[in-house]
Amino acid sequence: MTGKLKIWVSRPLFPDVLARLAEHFDVDAEAIERKHSPEQVREKLLGVDAALLGLADRVNAQTLEGNERLRVVANLGVGYNNLDMPALTRGGVLACNTPDVLNESVADYAWALMLAAARRVGAAERWLRAGQWSGGMRFDDWLGVDVHGKTLGILGMGRIGQAIARRATGFDMPVIYHNRSRLPEAVERESRAVYVDKASLLRQSDHLILVLPYSRESHHAVGAAELGLMKRSAVLVNVARGGIVDDAALAVALRERRLAAAALDVFEGEPAVHPDLLDLDNVVLSPHIASASEDTRRAMAGLAADNVLAALGFGPRAGRPPTALNPEVMARW
Ligand code: 8YV
């Protein structure tokens, strides 16, 4: 026992962030990316004071069982549906996430996916790489769906949704949104977004981007019935969480051309992808990388480290972790 606090970092991370942590902690950092079972998470957490976690690592009553030592878990992400907040709060464990620093990059990527799906970028590239262009191309081949001038719908209008909406100005797109609660008028004005009920959003959107948090209530928020309300020419984009879309129902709608195209960055049960989606050419698939720009991933890792260090009394913000979800637990330490 060195007397130093211990931290588990469950995903490979930037060396300079690990070095910062190592000034105050014994760092147990995973060198390779892998999925941990609940038993492995429990075992790791038993031996540490803090953890920096990937979103695949679930922390709940089971993984906290018998743990008297753990003080802080910091998620490498804004979403924290992997954390059972009541269980953490009961156990006196502080939870932190990385809001805001990723808003603009995730919004950029949502647009990238929307444009790629609408204009068939992935399928066209696969066709070209397969050497098929040499056989010629008809004037009416590769027809996609326009983006400019169409109605952009956003389901879930938090800070990322608002960043997505702001980008619509340059594309001359009216924006409609649905959210659990309506935004204050000033925010609506700034985002140029008009509130509609969910059914109207589904019916009127030419391009619909999902960016709502995952919860029991948002599970399969877009399933067969909701897809049935959408235009046949519509494009659906999910940068939120797998499980918000019923991927099996989506595959059927795409195969039957009841929806023009989709783009998914997240999947129910990822890294597994529903096999029916893999067979389709009118869906763009990407491996949960909406926040993965150099600057943003560095900012996320830095913020997660800031939270842990501050929570445990180090650095300029000692005692005041910048983005804690349940700061009230610190009074019980
Ligand atoms: C992931 C995300 O954190 O922030 C979130 O909630 O889903 C992403 O930014 C990131 O892809 C690492 O898994």
Side-chain angles (χ1 to χ4, degrees):
M1 190 77 184
T2 60
K4 241 181 171 182
L5 296 172
K6 276 196 156 187
I7 186 167
W8 176 45
V9 181
S10 81
R11 303 185 68 176
L13 209 61
F14 301 104
D16 55 314
V17 177
L18 293 177
R20 243 179 90 209
L21 292 169
E23 287 171 23
H24 303 284
F25 292 91
D26 274 338
V27 180
D28 172 10
E30 298 292 338
I32 51 163
E33 186 75 32
R34 66 190 172 110
K35 206 161 185 165
H36 302 100
S37 67
E39 295 71 34
Q40 287 168 328
V41 173
R42 176 167 181 269
E43 190 89 351
K44 285 288 188 182
L45 294 180
L46 274 172
V48 295
D49 305 277
L52 227 68
L53 296 176
L55 304 180
D57 299 311
R58 301 189 166 278
V59 183
N60 50 31
Q62 183 196 354
T63 46
L64 288 174
E65 199 194 324
N67 197 324
E68 309 256 304
R69 178 170 179 177
L70 185 68
R71 281 284 162 270
V72 192
V73 295
N75 246 13
L76 289 158
V78 62
Y80 53 92
N81 54 297
N82 59 319
L83 305 179
D84 178 339
M85 287 304 300
L88 283 157
T89 301
R90 260 196 321 275
V93 180
L94 184 75
C96 308
N97 66 343
T98 63
D100 290 328
V101 291
L102 44 60
N103 296 349
E104 301 301 326
S105 294
V106 173
D108 286 349
Y109 197 75
W111 274 81
L113 287 183
M114 174 170 62
L115 289 159
R119 300 300 306 274
R120 308 175 62 189
V121 175
E125 191 193 1
R126 286 192 292 279
W127 183 80
L128 180 150
R129 285 180 187 273
Q132 300 197 53
W133 196 6
S134 52
M137 192 204 309
R138 291 164 51 108
F139 191 63
D140 58 357
D141 267 347
W142 291 108
L143 305 182
V145 177
D146 269 331
V147 173
H148 69 274
K150 302 286 173 144
T151 297
L152 172 62
I154 301 177
L155 182 59
M157 197 59 156
R159 287 161 291 196
I160 299 173
Q162 291 164 40
I164 291 170
R166 282 197 301 274
R167 285 160 171 70
T169 317
F171 282 76
D172 227 356
M173 296 172 83
V175 182
I176 53 178
Y177 78 97
H178 182 73
N179 197 45
R180 253 182 327 196
S181 48
R182 193 173 165 168
L183 298 179
E185 233 170 87
V187 183
E188 279 187 352
R189 237 190 338 269
E190 198 195 325
S191 327
R192 291 177 51 257
V194 174
Y195 179 85
V196 293
D197 62 38
K198 188 176 165 189
S200 303
L201 183 80
L202 291 159
R203 284 200 184 95
Q204 292 170 24
S205 297
D206 293 306
H207 298 274
L208 177 59
I209 300 182
L210 310 178
V211 66
L212 65 169
Y214 182 78
S215 66
R216 211 167 292 143
E217 293 73 49
S218 65
H219 180 76
H220 287 189
V222 178
E226 290 77 14
L227 291 165
L229 295 179
M230 294 181 69
K231 298 182 185 182
R232 294 183 89 90
S233 55
V235 172
L236 177 70
V237 177
N238 186 9
V239 288
R241 277 289 177 275
I244 286 178
V245 175
D246 178 345
D247 288 345
L250 175 63
V252 174
L254 288 169
R255 191 170 48 245
E256 295 176 356
R257 305 282 158 173
R258 285 189 279 109
L259 196 69
L264 307 172
D265 185 49
V266 286
F267 305 88
E268 204 169 358
E270 63 188 47
V273 175
H274 196 292
D276 294 354
L277 291 169
L278 294 169
D279 290 338
L280 295 168
D281 235 19
N282 55 346
V283 61
V284 175
L285 306 169
S286 77
H288 201 152
I289 55 168
S291 65
S293 74
E294 169 95 27
D295 290 348
T296 292
R297 282 286 169 89
R298 283 191 174 280
M300 291 166 71
L303 179 54
D306 289 347
N307 272 302
V308 169
L309 291 167
L312 294 175
F314 304 111
R317 287 190 59 107
R320 291 177 298 119
T323 54
L325 292 161
N326 56 349
E328 69 278 9
V329 301
M330 295 174 73
R332 301 182 356 227
W333 292 356

